[in-house]
Amino acid sequence: MAQSDLVQSLLRGMDLLRLAASAPEGMRLSELAEKSGLQKTTAFNLLRTLCARDFLVKDQHNRFQLGPAVFEMAAASHTTSMMTLAGQAMRQLHEKFPLDVLTFSTLEGTEARCKLRFSPDRPGELQMPANRTFPPYLSVTSLALQAAAPHKAENIERQYPFEDYGEGLWGSIFNFNRAKANTLKLGYCWRQSEERFSAAFIMPDGFVLGFGGEGIAETEGIRRHKAALEFRRKVWKN
């Protein structure tokens, strides 16, 4: 593409953004104008525009530094890449455990939300449910999420007070907090119900991998535990 076809003001703004990013402590207007070859007035207007969209912020020393929008974009890119890897790894788990319900979940706002899912009633289909959530306190997935991300869990626990939503299962907040501490220590939790079990494994970045299927936890646990460790290595490369 010819240089004349490019939006020059956008190019200059991107150059200023790169310059500001190159200095961890930030750069002042005069430095940015000099290094970019721009007039101070032009540089100031571009910087003001970048600040208005939070790509840059100005500190108390009048230095321009990278703003939250840059880091939000980087985080979104990381999350998109991670979700792609998670979907691929879950498909392999689905092939290995076709009768299990598999879930990949995180805390969003005041909900424990399922982001990815495989189920035996829809074989081979990676589901991305829009509104599937787990009730706080009651499921192993919500327990693992509340244990793994206590600061985010505060939002859920304020919205759904333990006395109203958790006391019937746990009896006391002491019992629930002890279960959370044990889940965090082990990195997973199990629940057995007659001939079915459910399991939730804590993953990095506030995510939880869930299994639900037929069988006895003691006999099925080792296979699911190994599979969860392999899932973590594939998605987070560790």
Side-chain angles (χ1 to χ4, degrees), residues 72-133:
E72 289 167 5
M73 290 175 65
S77 176
H78 169 73
T79 299
T80 300
S81 175
M82 184 269 294
M83 292 295 286
T84 299
L85 291 173
Q88 294 169 352
M90 282 187 72
R91 183 173 299 281
Q92 294 172 357
L93 285 178
H94 177 58
E95 293 171 356
K96 188 173 184 178
F97 303 106
L99 300 181
D100 280 19
V101 174
L102 305 173
T103 56
F104 188 61
S105 309
T106 191
L107 295 181
E108 289 185 347
T110 60
E111 303 293 344
R113 193 171 298 280
C114 178
K115 305 297 289 184
L116 302 174
R117 186 175 187 265
F118 275 100
S119 58
D121 62 313
R122 294 161 67 175
E125 179 184 346
L126 175 61
Q127 303 161 41
M128 291 177 279
N131 296 304
R132 183 177 290 272
T133 60

Side-chain angles (χ1 to χ4, degrees), residues 1-57:
M1 182 181 291
Q3 191 74 11
S4 59
D5 294 333
L6 303 179
V7 180
Q8 296 303 310
S9 59
L10 182 57
L11 287 175
R12 291 165 183 157
M14 293 170 68
D15 289 341
L16 290 172
L17 193 60
R18 286 181 179 274
L19 284 170
S22 69
E25 72 282 1
M27 298 176 69
R28 292 185 174 88
L29 170 61
S30 57
E31 297 175 284
L32 287 163
E34 180 183 354
K35 289 181 179 294
S36 63
L38 297 173
Q39 295 293 326
K40 276 190 178 183
T41 301
T42 301
F44 173 76
N45 288 331
L46 291 168
L47 292 167
R48 187 164 58 91
T49 302
L50 289 167
C51 287
R53 289 292 184 264
D54 291 330
F55 286 97
L56 289 176
V57 293

Side-chain angles (χ1 to χ4, degrees), residues 139-215:
S139 72
V140 292
T141 290
S142 61
L143 174 62
L145 286 169
Q146 286 171 261
H151 297 299
K152 289 185 177 182
E154 289 176 359
N155 296 327
I156 288 183
E157 292 166 12
R158 279 195 298 268
Q159 179 74 17
Y160 301 97
F162 176 82
E163 293 78 9
D164 297 330
Y165 294 90
E167 196 169 57
L169 176 63
W170 296 101
S172 71
I173 192 67
F174 173 82
N175 291 338
F176 176 65
N177 286 335
R178 182 171 60 183
K180 283 200 297 184
N182 191 53
T183 297
L184 187 59
K185 179 180 178 181
L186 294 175
Y188 62 89
C189 55
W190 289 91
R191 184 172 295 159
Q192 187 72 47
S193 174
E194 296 182 352
E195 297 301 315
R196 293 190 62 81
F197 71 90
S198 53
F201 295 87
I202 294 174
M203 296 288 149
D205 299 329
F207 285 89
V208 162
L209 174 67
F211 294 81
E214 296 181 355

